[in-house]
């Protein structure tokens, strides 16, 4: 089966809402190539292009893509097969009013730094003598929401601006389906990003993302939030207004999975979860923050 | 040089203060074996031994050990050479009023579960069919404080109850020296612990810790907080009353190291730090919380 290409020129959204009009309709099992612009829509091409404040439209997410057969209560599995850079340079920036150290002494905003990509393996930061490994990830990916609306700057239970390093090639992400057709959209890729995304961006860059989408009907568990699968672990992902609150949600999700698998009560699963894997920071800036709780596959089989 | 053994029977502290009386005095470069009790001083030997509230005395830290020549402004390097379990069982518990999910629906406290150790490689949790890898770590380790006092339940700039999975064999931890002799103490080891230590404990267990201690006089950088060295990364460690605040401190420390190494300003170091390594959660329960910011060694040489 050849991959179908979904171009960002066909359509992109800046808000995840309950009612989204698809730009494409695909079957469950479809293999797609989704083309994405950089999160700043090309506004930063040199150091002199600085961003004074967070743009109203940011993190264009190519889509929505309707997946046939997806119904509320189902789960949408998205395998990230590959992420290819489609530009030879990204950009990392500070913006006033945004970022973990916004307003701190010595932190200047706005500032833009270009990150040229050498080959496909490393990138540099203009003015800094360092080779940073290229490890592309999808920053914003999600589905139509249940009832509220969130701009593509915001992460929540539908996904959105999760900015999670595990959203990389070789991993899968599972979303709750809230609306018929799921209405998948994605963009905001980075060529590299630290866990935390402290300044508010990674190396923002245009990409072509190969994904395989699959509807899981009548799943055995009710998924409330995104769940990431890596080769080693299952990772519930949760976003909230503070890291502690996000940690609580991701831990509750992990415990529920462990309790079901091992046929123990919630408390024993809590004690068990406190010995293996554990909490990881995705991002601390978006303005809701995102964490995940890694449960090693040695202790948890596929929940679907 | 043979290792000198420091027994917990010789002395242990439950509070890090500015004025600590040493139980032993050693030379810089000394190789020691430090014996530690479990954090609950043996109070939990079966499931029926439950802990109703956080004990006044908890996390006994064997010491203080005076290191000759250590003066305020110096750095104390502690290589964790090995951690051997000295019990064949640990314990993981919930305590009312403590832990990330304290008071949540379905979370019962107090509860105790014994964690028998099989060989040296795995442990089990009574009532759960799972083999958990034994990966011992030091929960509480630190030096005499600058001016304040902190019980061994609390992590802060002197170290203390850091509960960090990287405090394991093969890694080193560097502390600021606030008082003559440094006055190192350690205890509260776990046979296994998740990042986050969500229920408030790992698998608490007695150990013998092999360490090498070394005074670094007149260091090139002023160390304000603990710094961990792993084979792959340098990790500033910071504790605060909320995760965001701890993230800010650990990120500032990481940026200062990167700025000095790469001869760039604070802002460029901030952008750089946002592309590599990143924030990691140590613990979210102690009652100050602890995070670290990993800077890969590819981008940062030894700061001392």
């Amino acid at each position: 089966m050849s991959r179908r290409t979904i171009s960002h020129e066909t359509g992109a959204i800046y808000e995840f809402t309950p009612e989204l009009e698809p730009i494409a309709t695909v079957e469950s099992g479809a293999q797609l190539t989704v083309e994405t612009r950089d999160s700043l829509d090309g506004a930063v091409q040199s150091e002199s292009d600085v961003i004074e404040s967070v743009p109203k439209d940011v993190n264009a997410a190519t889509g929505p893509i309707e997946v046939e057969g997806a119904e509320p209560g189902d789960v949408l599995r998205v395998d990230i097969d590959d992420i290819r850079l489609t530009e030879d340079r990204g950009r990392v920036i500070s913006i006033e009013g945004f970022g973990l150290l916004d307003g701190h002494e010595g932190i200047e905003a706005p500032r833009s730094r270009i990150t040229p990509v050498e080959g496909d393996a490393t990138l540099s930061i203009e003015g800094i003598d360092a080779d940073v490994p290229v490890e592309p990830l999808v920053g914003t990916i999600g589905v139509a929401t249940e009832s509220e609306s969130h701009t593509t700057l915001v992460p929540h239970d539908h996904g959105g601006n999760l900015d999670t390093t595990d959203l990389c090639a070789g991993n899968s992400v599972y979303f709750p389906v809230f609306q018929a057709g799921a209405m998948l959209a994605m963009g905001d890729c980075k060529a590299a990003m630290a866990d935390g995304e402290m300044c508010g961006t990674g190396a923002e860059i245009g990409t072509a993302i190969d994904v395989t989408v699959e509807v899981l009907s009548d799943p055995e568990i009710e998924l409330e939030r995104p769940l990431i699968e890596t080769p080693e672990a299952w990772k519930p992902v949760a976003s909230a207004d503070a890291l502690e609150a996000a940690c609580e949600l991701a831990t509750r999700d992990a415990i529920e999975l462990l309790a079901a698998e091992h046929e123990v009560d919630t408390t024993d699963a809590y004690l068990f979860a406190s010995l293996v894997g554990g909490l990881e920071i995705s991002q601390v800036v978006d303005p809701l923050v995102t964490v995940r709780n890694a449960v090693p596959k040695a202790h948890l089989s596929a929940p679907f």
Side-chain angles (χ1 to χ4, degrees), chain A:
Chain A
M1 188 164 66
S2 67
R3 286 188 184 272
R4 175 173 170 184
T5 296
I6 313 287
S7 167
H8 57 76
E9 292 169 3
T10 314
I13 58 172
Y14 292 97
E15 190 169 29
F16 286 96
T17 69
E19 295 184 359
L20 292 172
E21 285 298 315
I23 61 165
T25 300
V26 304
E27 294 179 355
S28 177
Q31 296 183 311
L32 310 173
T33 296
V34 181
E35 296 176 345
T36 70
R37 290 193 294 260
D38 81 274
S39 63
L40 300 160
D41 280 346
V44 176
Q45 298 297 340
S46 75
E47 292 184 15
S48 59
D49 298 329
V50 297
I51 305 295
E52 298 282 351
S53 61
V54 178
K56 177 178 165 291
D57 287 342
V58 71
N59 298 341
T62 302
I65 302 163
E66 177 180 36
V67 186
E68 289 179 341
E71 294 294 336
D74 291 347
V75 166
L76 182 69
R77 172 181 174 148
V78 181
D79 300 331
I80 305 173
D81 302 320
D82 194 17
I83 306 174
R84 293 180 301 282
L85 308 184
T86 53
E87 295 182 274
D88 62 1
R89 45 182 39 212
R91 62 286 291 165
V92 56
I93 70 171
S94 63
I95 304 175
E96 193 178 339
F98 197 60
L100 179 68
L101 300 185
D102 177 53
H104 276 232
E105 184 184 342
I107 300 295
E108 294 177 13
R111 182 178 291 186
S112 297
R113 288 284 181 251
I114 299 302
T115 60
V117 178
E118 285 99 34
D120 269 345
T122 61
L123 61 83
S124 59
I125 308 167
E126 284 188 351
I128 300 179
D129 181 22
D131 291 327
V132 172
V134 168
E135 296 173 333
L137 62 105
V138 185
T140 298
I141 181 168
V143 297
T145 60
E146 186 166 17
S147 59
E148 70 285 18
S149 294
H150 294 292
T151 73
T152 45
L153 187 66
V154 177
H156 206 247
D157 297 348
H158 68 292
N161 194 14
L162 297 171
D163 284 332
T164 297
T165 51
D166 283 318
L167 290 170
C168 61
N171 292 348
S172 300
V173 53
Y174 301 74
F175 295 101
V177 174
F178 295 116
Q179 305 294 341
M183 304 298 172
L184 177 69
M186 67 194 77
D188 176 33
C189 292
K190 292 98 168 62
M193 189 191 87
D195 281 311
E197 200 194 24
M198 290 82 77
C199 79
T201 77
E204 309 294 307
I205 201 160
T207 69
I209 311 167
D210 290 345
V211 295
T212 304
V213 297
E214 185 182 4
V215 177
L216 308 180
S217 298
D218 302 319
E220 285 188 29
I221 64 162
E222 185 186 349
L223 194 65
E224 291 184 58
R225 279 174 286 277
L227 175 68
I228 290 175
E229 180 184 3
T230 77
E232 297 81 26
W234 294 93
K235 302 188 180 185
V237 180
S239 302
D241 57 2
L243 284 166
E244 277 80 355
C247 287
E248 290 184 13
L249 292 171
T251 300
R252 285 222 63 118
D253 288 351
I255 288 172
E256 284 177 24
L257 293 171
L258 279 169
E261 167 105 7
H262 292 273
E263 298 180 344
V264 296
D265 73 6
T266 307
T267 306
D268 275 350
Y270 180 44
L271 302 182
F272 186 8
S274 299
L275 300 188
V276 297
L279 291 163
E280 300 173 347
I281 289 177
S282 292
Q283 58 78 24
V284 297
V285 294
D286 268 349
L288 298 188
V289 296
T290 304
V291 305
R292 50 211 196 276
N293 194 324
V295 183
K297 284 185 169 175
H299 306 302
L300 185 62
S301 54
F304 302 111

